Amino acid sequence: MPPTAVAPARRPVLGRAPVAVLVVLGYVAILHYAYANHIAPIFTYLQFGYRSPDPFGYAVAIALVVAIALVLPRQIARPSHLIAWVLFLIAVLPSLVVPQYAPALSRPAALELALWGGGCFLLVAVIGTRQPLRGFVPLMPLRPRTWWALIALLFVVLNCYVLLAIGVNWTLPSFNDVYGVRGEFRIEEAEFPALGYVVPMLDKIVNPLMIVRGLFTRRWGWALAGTVGELYLYAEQGNKTASLAPIALVAAFLFLRMRRPTGSTVLVAASIGSVVVMTVDWLLASNDLTSLFIRRTLVLPGLTTAGYVQVFDDAPKAQLGHSVLSSYVHYPYDKEPPDLVGAGFFGNPDTHANGNWLADGYANFGYLGMLAATIVLILLLWAVDDAARGLSAPFACMMFVVPAISLAESAILTAILTHGFFALIVLCALAPRDWPPTTEDGPGGRGEVATAATQRPAASATRP
């Protein structure tokens, strides 16, 4: 009998280009509807005003969003893929479309922001997720028992330091009260400067890793310890990401266990979630859920990017004078850029308006600063993928879920040095390559992060 070739696996529906375009357009429409009808009429006093977008500028912004969605990897197979899709959902897409109908910037300025922001992230999608360099991060994998003992030791030691430094707050603040908690924590951080490094290490790396082990091995004591650790830090620090991290990790775990997880699924989930939230608020005659999950999580990052451009448009740029170049550059302000934007744009001197790498890049060097920060982000994604080579794909991606969310709302150098990306890359290089011990085949199971060693030509799928 002649050899019979095995038919190639069919691409998932959400991985097909026409479907991806429809998903993106649907999500943009839902975000616009939510903003115009459920956010702007109520929160105009917080800069969430509404204006009719310029047809040309809005069309350009939407075209850039669609182009990015088509260029991003369809299937999540490496940490950089997951990070890029999270950044696209939380930081980039809102930064391109929200300024078109929010009156923070003039229409020409909003179009300019969309062109620069979209162009920068196209570089990330094309270059940053393709792993052109391999083998430059040295790997020293430990045995599973040793590596997890190291994580447990970090959990105990770092939590003991925080407990001794600031004690225990038995009350979980509401999301409307977190700003007061953050103000108190900043006072405590001034007294114990190490908290600025220990707390991010805990809430973005160590606690999530405890939850990850619990999810993969069903050792729920680990997951419970990590969850309690996140809630404790939320009570002490007021960081909403810490309180939502366990939910995000469970959602990511279920998503990555799919046989062929596609990036468009993230947009579908955000679209469905937004519709559900608005429906529940309509039934309850409330706006609380819409404010929390759509306004603060999906819209605010885009408005904040516009706020950075507004505040630093004609003002002297920061030039990293408050950061790594403080010894070489005169810094003309007495506050950091997030505090300046909080006071100058949002009208509240107590608001610390963290911006993503695009916003922070503009505050430091204008639009060329956006490009420079994007280049650093691309290098970071290369290092992440290289450190994760040989790891189980879902395990490697799960390690970077919470840091990816943090990166979407922080400066790139802050994410690397303070929020733990560098430390996580080191831990990733030390992680055991034979963990988890039993998984299913495929990208949602035992599939490995692509490496030079694992990328071999497939044998001819024939049989006599």
Side-chain angles (χ1 to χ4, degrees), residues 23-50:
V23 168
V24 172
L25 293 178
Y27 178 69
V28 170
I30 291 171
L31 202 65
H32 189 154
Y33 173 83
Y35 187 93
N37 294 278
H38 297 273
I39 296 175
I42 300 174
F43 298 100
T44 302
Y45 70 100
L46 291 177
Q47 301 298 326
F48 290 89
Y50 180 79

Side-chain angles (χ1 to χ4, degrees), residues 308-314 317-318 357-367 369-370:
Y308 270 72
V309 174
Q310 183 195 94
V311 169
F312 287 96
D313 181 22
D314 296 324
K317 302 299 186 289
W357 84 99
L358 295 172
D360 181 75
Y362 186 89
N364 282 292
F365 298 103
Y367 281 117
M370 276 192 182

Side-chain angles (χ1 to χ4, degrees), residues 116-150:
W116 275 96
C120 286
F121 199 68
L122 277 171
L123 291 177
V124 175
V126 173
I127 302 175
T129 61
R130 296 307 193 261
Q131 200 182 6
L133 298 179
R134 300 182 179 90
F136 63 92
V137 175
L139 302 183
M140 295 177 287
L142 303 174
R143 294 180 178 179
R145 183 183 298 272
T146 303
W147 193 78
W148 285 112
L150 172 62

Side-chain angles (χ1 to χ4, degrees), residues 24 58 128 199 214 235 306 362 365 381 407 419 438:
V24 172
Y58 199 23
V199 170
Y362 186 89
F365 298 103
L381 294 180
L407 179 58
H419 290 176
T438 56

Side-chain angles (χ1 to χ4, degrees), residues 23 73 180 218 268 326 343 371 433:
V23 168
R218 299 184 181 181
V268 171
S326 58
L371 179 60
R433 266 47 193 172

Side-chain angles (χ1 to χ4, degrees), residues 7-23:
R10 296 180 61 184
R11 184 187 295 272
V13 173
L14 289 176
R16 299 172 187 173
V19 177
V21 171
L22 292 176
V23 168

